[in-house]
């Protein structure tokens, strides 16, 4: 009996210490659950109060009244709003995102189709944006007030202010229509569609996995222009932010010290100053990446790119709420994921964050 | 870490750059493949018992067959489809269809009269939006098993609740909902008594020239030739229909030869390719009618002289010669041209002096104020602005109330408009579809809520015309029936609250080598099997 009690006490202490250890994780999960619940609730209720009748989207405006009523009932719209939301929540918790009204496919299947397309485009665009934007920003900071700075500023301003729709069309006209350097709208030449087996849904990766160099090349020739257009926007933002972070760093005393100690200028700028800029810069890059994931509707339209932005927008216009909510969950997950990732990188780059 | 990230990104960029070299698009599509750029985001279901959208009708026409069909080369009389012959008994209600022999579904299952009976019964039992096209013959989910039945594998017997004009019955059977589906295959996929609806929304169970390879909503559908087709030789072995939202993108793809046909070019883009020797543009008349209507609850608009005056205050010619050029023709009767009973007379033209004198006779020498409800679509707004201008010349001050399609319709269906300006497209290829909405209003009370009928929406009380419209659907002599529609249209044209202005033309731009692309006129849709390159 006594022994048993002792054992139990030991177990309690172990549990406590375990609890203490997993407490941050529990906190995180609670915060995550609340975030998602809030996100879903707000999207759901906004979707239900917008003056678009989802039943009309399905049955058309000429449907006889009994057809309309039957569809309304089948869609569960005759139930109180809160009950509809709880039913939806229950289904989501069981991994069922429902069927899209507009595509007749399960939302999960739609998402598996559109998310990789957007993910691929945004990733290539961000890589292009970072590879050009960071060096441009550094150069602009080092040569602040001189002509390279001015050129980069003007380029950035154009990137900010020219409508992406127009830029995309002009890009297509020049590089596809006139010069023939790239392929036209769409993710692949249509005859290649469905040739490589879908693994990730990202054609660049799937074609490499299948070892099909021809399809990879074709996919590149399709993605390069829309990615460059989107990348240009990232470039504009990333280079401006890099410039201001760098100017701040280059004025610090440790930079002067490094220079006095005879360190090469290249090392001072690209290693010491840029190294310290990385932490805020990662947030900037992560945010611009997230924005590309959901906000490239116009680019998707011009380039006939079947992505998430286009999917959510068309669904919203027809009050196809299962599709909108499914898309919202993905976007929410992307933001949470990117935040976690940049937190992780913070710890990596900034020793203070480990404390 | 920093370096690793950069190196990783740089190597991916290098890989992409390597891919980009020498990978410019190959011009031209293969000789046995047809690639079409279109807008197909309205395609929400592939099930013919449910499909009621433009893209859906076109898809179904190419994947399914009906008992009867229109000949794409001569859209006049009906020709055999899956039924080799058909007849109507003397009782006027018993239709007998003899099935064509030796036809198989894409699955390999043979086509029998049982499939035909199943398909029509299924469409009625599912009660989806287009089901009214069949239920207007008295079929209900309860009685249909008795009214439509296969007496053997080759004979389908259909009994209507009372005699109708046979042309009306046959025409309705050519609508998408008349498609014959593979009963065995569909029922293998039935779930919770849905008669296979969930499965068929995204799959194919037809006999048509093409079978479905893949449908990616808002992106494309791809079809493959299904083998020997009983209606003719199929030259294009593969057909891709791509959703390209933007007209300029469609035009670029066509100019570069990456698509064979572009279906949704704006008039500007059509004009821009006119001089391109590699391309051509083909026009086809469609069924959509553009009109404005006068709410008879408004005392001023209910005055017959005002109604007539308004019809003289439209610049029909001016619009079709300027901003509507190539998109619409002047047409002033409610049946689309090429429909049975078409009326070609266009008695009205812009005549401000005549309109003014009519207004004076009606007691409004200085005009009046009125609102025009219109949805925010480019062509409609331009037409409404033109009306505003010409109405103004006779002293009528028109205010445009612009809204989304749904907002404008809500006002219209609630009979709260003065003037509604919009379009109407027929639901099935028979004159009753438009006559029943423009010239029939069995109960004009608000609480009747006959929102499907335009005569009701405009509070036009017409017991006499309603009777005539009803009589036309039971007239068994087709020539007589056609004349009845002509007479009804004349009355509506002369006295009705509808000013019918235009009929839609679609323009398909295509490569020079594309031949035989028939878009089906007002009564049918695009056939792919007739295309050669």
């Amino acid at each position: 009996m006594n022994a048993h009690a002792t054992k139990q006490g030991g177990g309690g202490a172990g549990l406590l210490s375990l609890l203490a250890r997993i407490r941050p994780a529990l906190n995180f999960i609670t915060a995550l659950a609340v975030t998602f619940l809030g996100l879903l609730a707000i999207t759901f209720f906004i979707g239900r109060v917008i003056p678009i009748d989802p039943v009309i989207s399905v049955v058309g405006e000429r449907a006889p009244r009994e057809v309309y009523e039957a569809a309304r009932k089948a869609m569960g719209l005759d139930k109180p709003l809160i009950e509809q939301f709880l039913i939806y929540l229950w289904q989501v918790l069981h991994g069922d995102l429902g069927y899209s009204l507009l595509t007749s496919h399960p939302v999960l299947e739609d998402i598996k189709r559109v998310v990789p397309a957007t993910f691929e485009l945004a990733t290539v665009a961000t890589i292009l944006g970072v590879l050009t934007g960071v060096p441009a920003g550094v150069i602009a900071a080092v040569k602040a007030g001189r002509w390279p700075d001015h050129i980069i500023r003007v380029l950035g301003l154009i990137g900010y202010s020219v409508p992406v729709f127009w830029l995309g069309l002009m890009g297509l006209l020049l590089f596809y229509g006139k010069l023939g350097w790239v392929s036209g709208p769409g993710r692949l030449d249509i005859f290649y569609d469905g040739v490589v087996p879908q693994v990730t849904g990202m054609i660049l990766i799937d074609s490499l996995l299948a070892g099909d160099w021809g399809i990879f090349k074709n996919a590149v020739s399709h993605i390069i222009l829309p990615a460059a257009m989107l990348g240009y926007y990232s470039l504009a933002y990333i280079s401006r932010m890099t410039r201001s972070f760098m100017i701040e760093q280059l004025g610090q005393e440790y930079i002067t010290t490094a220079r006095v100690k005879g360190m090469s200028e290249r090392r001072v700028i690209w290693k010491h100053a840029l190294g310290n800029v990385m932490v805020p810069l990662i947030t900037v890059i992560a945010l611009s990446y997230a924005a590309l994931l959901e906000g490239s509707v116009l680019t998707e339209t011009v380039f006939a790119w079947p992505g998430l932005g286009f999917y959510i927008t068309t669904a919203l216009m027809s009050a196809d709420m299962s599709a909108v909510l499914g898309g919202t969950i993905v976007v929410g997950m992307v933001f949470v994921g990117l935040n976690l990732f940049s937190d992780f990188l913070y710890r990596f780059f900034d020793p203070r964050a480990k404390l | 870490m920093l370096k690793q990230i950069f190196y990783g990104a740089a190597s991916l960029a290098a890989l992409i750059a390597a891919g980009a070299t020498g990978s410019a698009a190959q011009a031209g599509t293969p000789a046995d493949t047809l690639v079409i750029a279109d807008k197909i985001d309205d395609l929400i279901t592939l099930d013919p018992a449910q499909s009621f959208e433009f893209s859906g009708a076109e898809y179904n026409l190419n994947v399914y067959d009906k008992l009867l069909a229109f000949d794409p080369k001569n859209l006049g009389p009906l020709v055999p489809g899956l039924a080799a012959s058909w007849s109507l008994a003397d009782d006027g209600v018993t239709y007998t269809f003899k099935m064509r022999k030796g036809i198989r579904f894409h699955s390999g299952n043979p086509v029998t009269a049982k499939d035909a009976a199943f398909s029509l019964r299924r469409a009625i039992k599912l009660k989806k939006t287009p089901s009214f096209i069949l239920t207007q013959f008295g079929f209900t989910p309860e009685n249909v098993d008795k009214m439509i039945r296969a007496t053997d594998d080759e004979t389908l017997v259909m009994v209507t609740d009372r005699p109708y004009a046979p042309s009306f019955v046959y025409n309705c059977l050519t609508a998408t909902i008349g498609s014959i589906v593979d009963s065995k295959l569909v029922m293998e996929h039935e779930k919770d008594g849905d008669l296979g609806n969930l499965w068929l929304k995204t799959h194919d169970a037809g006999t048509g020239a093409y079978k479905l390879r893949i449908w990616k909503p808002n992106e494309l559908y791809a079809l493959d030739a299904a083998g020997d087709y009983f209606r003719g030789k199929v030259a294009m072995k593969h057909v891709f229909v791509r959703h390209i939202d933007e007209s300029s993108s469609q035009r670029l793809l066509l100019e570069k030869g990456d698509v064979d046909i572009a279906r949704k070019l704006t008039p500007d883009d059509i004009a821009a390719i006119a001089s391109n020797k590699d391309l051509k543009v083909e026009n086809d008349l469609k069924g959509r009618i553009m009109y404005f209507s006068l709410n008879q609850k408004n005392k001023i608009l209910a005055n017959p002289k005002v109604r007539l005056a308004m019809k003289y205050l439209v610049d029909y010619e001016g619009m079709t010669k300027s901003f509507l050029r190539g998109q619409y023709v002047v047409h002033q009767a409610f049946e689309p041209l090429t429909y049975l009973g078409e009326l070609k007379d266009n008695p009205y033209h812009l005549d401000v002096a005549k309109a003014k004198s009519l207004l004076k006779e009606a007691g409004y020498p200085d005009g009046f104020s009125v609102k025009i409800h219109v949805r925010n679509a480019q062509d409609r707004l331009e037409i409404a602005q033109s009306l505003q201008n010409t109405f103004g010349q006779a002293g009528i001050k028109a205010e445009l109330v612009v809204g989304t399609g749904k907002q404008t319709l809500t006002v219209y269906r609630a009979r709260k408009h003065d003037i509604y300006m919009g379009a109407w497209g027929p639901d099935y290829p028979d004159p009753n579809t438009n006559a029943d909405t423009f010239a029939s209003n069995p109960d004009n009370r608000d609480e009747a809520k006959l929102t499907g009928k335009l005569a009701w929406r405009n509070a036009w009380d017409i017991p006499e015309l309603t009777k005539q419209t009803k009589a036309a659907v039971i007239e068994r002599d087709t020539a007589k029936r056609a004349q009845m529609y002509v007479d009804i249209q004349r009355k509506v044209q002369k006295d009705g609250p509808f000013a019918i202005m235009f009929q839609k033309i679609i323009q398909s731009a295509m490569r020079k080598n594309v031949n035989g692309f028939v878009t089906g006129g007002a009564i049918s849709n695009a056939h792919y099997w007739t295309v050669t390159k």
Side-chain angles (χ1 to χ4, degrees):
Chain A
M1 177 83 183
N2 203 12
H4 180 70
T6 314
K7 218 176 184 180
Q8 215 174 28
L15 198 66
L16 273 180
S17 83
L18 184 71
L19 262 180
R21 221 180 298 162
I22 61 168
R23 197 182 186 144
L26 281 178
N27 283 345
F28 174 74
I29 289 168
T30 315
L32 206 63
V34 172
T35 308
F36 272 98
L37 193 67
L39 190 66
L40 283 182
I42 290 170
T43 318
F44 186 90
F45 290 113
I46 288 179
R48 282 285 178 263
V49 296
I50 50 172
I52 300 175
D53 186 346
V55 185
I56 298 267
S57 303
V58 176
V59 300
E61 61 120 345
R62 292 184 201 174
R65 213 192 306 176
E66 62 275 14
V67 173
Y68 177 93
E69 288 303 333
R72 196 173 128 84
K73 213 169 163 202
M75 289 160 74
L77 293 171
D78 53 336
K79 298 190 173 81
L81 214 52
I82 189 78
E83 196 182 330
Q84 290 177 36
F85 180 62
L86 290 177
I87 291 173
Y88 178 75
L89 213 57
W90 183 251
Q91 287 170 341
V92 170
L93 288 175
H94 288 77
D96 177 12
L97 295 183
Y99 274 81
S100 160
L101 305 178
L102 293 185
T103 71
S104 298
H105 286 75
V107 170
L108 202 61
E109 207 174 282
D110 280 342
I111 282 177
K112 277 187 202 157
R113 189 169 53 84
V114 298
V115 168
T118 295
F119 204 66
E120 188 170 41
L121 182 62
T123 307
V124 176
T126 302
I127 290 173
L128 294 176
V130 170
L131 286 181
T132 48
V134 172
V138 173
I139 292 167
V142 174
K143 309 272 182 195
R146 279 179 282 164
W147 63 266
D149 183 25
H150 295 315
I151 290 177
I152 289 166
R153 178 184 298 136
V154 170
L155 281 178
L157 266 177
I158 295 173
Y160 265 135
S161 44
V162 175
V164 69
F165 195 72
W166 183 83
L167 199 66
L169 279 177
M170 289 300 119
L172 267 180
L173 188 64
L174 181 64
F175 296 108
Y176 167 62
K178 295 281 175 220
L179 300 173
W181 290 357
V182 300
S183 297
R187 291 178 75 191
L188 270 182
D189 279 8
I190 202 152
F191 322 106
Y192 287 132
D193 202 87
V195 175
V196 290
Q198 183 168 340
V199 182
T200 61
M202 286 183 269
I203 296 173
L204 289 178
I205 294 177
D206 287 355
S207 57
L208 285 181
L209 288 178
D212 196 325
W213 187 242
I215 291 189
F216 178 77
K217 281 169 90 161
N218 189 262
V220 168
S221 77
H222 276 274
I223 201 172
I224 199 79
L225 191 61
M229 294 298 155
L230 283 178
Y232 186 27
Y233 278 76
S234 309
L235 177 151
Y237 180 50
I238 292 170
S239 68
R240 292 313 291 165
M241 298 310 286
T242 310
R243 180 183 180 276
S244 66
F245 294 148
M246 280 297 283
I247 283 179
E248 192 195 331
Q249 288 297 323
L250 289 173
Q252 301 280 332
E253 284 180 358
Y254 76 92
I255 294 290
T256 318
T257 315
R259 280 174 178 152
V260 169
K261 282 168 83 177
M263 194 177 281
S264 78
E265 189 64 12
R266 212 166 68 186
R267 210 172 149 79
V268 169
I269 293 165
W270 293 98
K271 187 166 168 61
H272 287 258
L274 186 60
N276 279 334
V277 159
M278 279 329 276
V279 172
L281 203 54
I282 282 163
T283 313
V284 166
I285 294 170
L287 284 177
S288 103
Y289 184 53
L292 289 189
L293 281 177
E294 43 138 10
S296 47
V297 187
L298 291 178
T299 316
E300 286 175 2
T301 306
V302 174
F303 289 95
W305 201 270
L308 184 63
F310 189 73
Y311 181 70
I312 297 183
T313 311
T314 32
L316 194 57
M317 295 295 181
S318 304
D320 182 359
M321 284 323 288
S322 295
V324 172
L325 289 163
T328 309
I329 293 176
V330 173
V331 173
M333 271 163 36
V334 164
F335 270 90
V336 171
L338 279 173
N339 269 323
L340 280 178
F341 186 62
S342 50
D343 274 357
F344 164 76
L345 287 180
Y346 269 19
R347 283 164 200 250
F348 211 90
F349 286 114
D350 189 351
R352 285 170 300 180
K354 285 180 190 150
L355 296 174
Chain B
M1 178 71 178
L2 177 64
K3 266 187 192 162
Q4 282 155 344
I5 291 175
F6 267 97
Y7 284 145
S11 43
L12 193 60
L15 194 62
I16 288 169
T21 51
S23 60
Q26 304 155 0
T29 56
D32 65 348
T33 302
L34 181 69
V35 184
I36 300 174
D38 202 346
K39 286 190 192 179
I40 52 164
D41 52 350
D42 62 331
L43 189 58
I44 57 174
T45 174
L46 304 183
D47 187 340
Q50 187 178 21
S51 172
F52 205 47
E53 291 73 38
F54 291 110
S55 300
E58 182 168 316
Y59 164 85
N60 278 290
L61 185 67
N62 289 287
V63 174
Y64 292 89
D65 285 295
K66 290 100 184 174
L67 292 169
L68 317 165
F70 288 103
D71 178 0
K73 285 161 193 141
N74 171 22
L75 291 166
L78 291 172
V79 295
L82 289 175
S85 64
W86 54 90
S87 60
L88 171 60
D90 289 339
D91 63 4
V93 294
T94 308
Y95 292 80
T96 306
F97 299 85
K98 284 284 176 193
M99 301 298 286
R100 195 185 280 268
K101 288 178 191 162
I103 310 291
R104 289 185 178 273
F105 287 105
H106 299 154
S107 64
N109 293 333
V111 180
T112 67
K114 289 186 180 110
D115 293 296
F118 169 82
S119 305
L120 299 176
R121 289 172 179 175
R122 176 178 180 271
I124 287 155
K125 288 178 186 169
L126 277 176
K127 287 204 252 179
K128 300 294 181 187
T129 306
S131 61
F132 74 90
I133 297 171
L134 296 178
T135 55
Q136 56 188 345
F137 302 112
F139 306 128
T140 62
E142 293 74 32
N143 73 11
V144 72
D145 286 342
K146 213 172 69 192
M147 310 282 269
I148 301 177
R149 58 189 201 279
T151 50
D152 57 49
D153 275 359
E154 283 164 32
T155 316
L156 175 79
V157 176
M158 189 172 100
V159 182
T160 57
D161 62 342
R162 59 192 181 98
Y164 292 96
S167 52
F168 178 35
V169 176
Y170 295 139
N171 283 335
C172 285
L173 288 175
T174 66
T176 300
I177 196 158
S179 302
I180 305 306
V181 303
D182 186 338
S183 59
K184 200 164 161 240
L185 184 68
V186 168
M187 288 313 282
E188 276 169 20
H189 293 92
E190 188 184 38
K191 210 177 145 189
D192 305 331
D194 74 342
L195 295 172
N197 174 239
L198 187 65
W199 180 80
L200 202 54
K201 274 177 172 184
T202 55
H203 292 83
D204 148 23
T207 49
Y210 290 93
K211 56 183 179 187
L212 176 69
R213 186 201 298 172
I214 191 167
W215 170 40
K216 296 185 186 177
N218 295 330
E219 192 179 342
L220 65 90
Y221 63 80
L223 309 176
D224 294 324
D228 288 339
Y229 187 46
F230 67 89
R231 296 182 67 190
K233 194 170 172 290
V234 180
M236 294 294 113
K237 299 300 171 210
H238 310 283
V239 176
F240 294 89
V241 179
R242 286 183 66 180
H243 176 70
I244 308 281
D245 206 54
E246 181 47 43
S247 163
S248 316
S249 304
Q250 286 199 7
R251 180 183 142 198
L252 274 172
L253 284 162
L254 181 69
E255 285 174 336
K256 292 292 286 182
D258 284 335
V259 302
D260 298 302
I261 303 174
R263 303 281 302 277
K264 295 285 160 33
L265 296 189
T266 59
D268 287 347
D269 282 320
I270 290 279
I273 59 164
S275 58
N276 189 327
K277 285 195 207 101
D278 300 327
L279 309 177
K280 60 181 175 182
V281 176
E282 288 182 358
N283 297 326
D284 195 13
L285 207 53
K286 297 309 279 185
R288 180 192 274 198
I289 298 291
M290 193 65 89
Y291 73 99
F292 69 84
S293 63
L294 314 170
N295 190 346
Q296 298 303 290
K297 288 193 163 192
N298 180 318
K299 264 192 203 146
I300 304 172
L301 300 177
N303 184 314
K305 289 200 166 129
V306 172
R307 291 204 295 252
L308 193 58
M310 305 290 272
K311 292 173 190 172
Y312 281 107
L313 288 175
V314 182
D315 191 2
Y316 305 92
E317 295 293 326
M319 285 192 260
T320 46
K321 281 186 177 149
S322 56
F323 58 86
L324 295 181
R325 193 191 181 100
Q327 296 183 78
Y328 289 92
V329 286
V330 175
H331 177 61
Q332 298 177 349
F334 65 70
E335 295 294 357
L337 292 171
T338 73
Y339 261 57
L340 179 74
E342 63 176 0
L343 172 62
K344 290 180 174 168
D345 300 356
N346 290 328
Y348 302 107
H349 56 275
L350 179 63
D351 189 340
V352 179
K354 185 160 188 172
K356 272 184 170 169
S357 80
L358 280 165
L359 287 175
K360 200 173 164 191
E361 285 172 36
Y364 304 101
D366 303 321
F368 48 85
S369 291
V370 78
K371 285 180 181 160
I372 303 179
H373 287 264
V374 60
R375 60 177 269 203
N376 54 358
Q378 181 72 16
D379 52 354
R380 296 182 193 206
L381 282 176
E382 281 175 327
I383 296 170
Q385 279 161 0
S386 171
L387 292 178
Q388 194 179 29
N389 175 22
T390 45
F391 287 179
Q393 291 174 29
I396 299 170
K397 287 174 279 300
E399 179 196 336
L400 298 190
V401 185
V402 182
T404 64
K406 300 244 157 67
Q407 287 169 332
T408 313
L409 267 177
T410 307
V411 175
Y412 194 25
R413 287 159 69 103
R415 316 213 276 190
K416 287 186 175 151
H417 60 293
D418 291 336
I419 297 178
Y420 172 85
M421 207 238 93
W424 182 266
D427 291 327
Y428 49 89
D430 186 87
N432 184 56
T433 180
N434 278 9
D436 190 49
T437 194
F438 281 98
S440 167
N441 183 8
D443 188 348
N444 196 36
R445 293 170 308 133
D446 281 350
E447 48 282 21
K449 292 214 164 140
L450 302 177
T451 52
K453 295 189 193 294
L454 298 183
W456 180 88
R457 286 191 201 173
N458 290 288
W460 192 33
D461 200 6
I462 38 167
E464 202 48 47
L465 269 178
T466 305
K467 261 189 226 156
Q468 288 179 27
T469 303
K470 271 198 181 135
V473 294
I474 54 170
E475 175 53 56
R476 291 174 66 170
D477 181 331
T478 305
K480 241 191 221 170
R481 183 169 180 237
Q483 187 56 45
M484 290 168 94
Y485 286 111
V486 170
D487 296 342
I488 295 170
Q489 286 179 87
R490 282 230 165 84
K491 283 181 189 154
V492 175
Q493 195 173 56
K494 194 164 160 250
D495 191 41
F498 303 105
I500 291 152
M501 301 179 284
F502 310 114
Q503 184 174 345
K504 179 76 181 160
I505 297 172
I506 55 159
Q507 299 184 296
S508 306
M510 59 194 88
R511 305 290 301 178
K512 263 267 157 62
N513 62 342
V514 176
N515 291 305
F517 182 64
V518 184
T519 48
I523 52 172
S524 186
N525 279 289
H527 297 69
Y528 307 145
W529 66 269
T530 53
V531 174
T532 56
K533 283 209 296 190

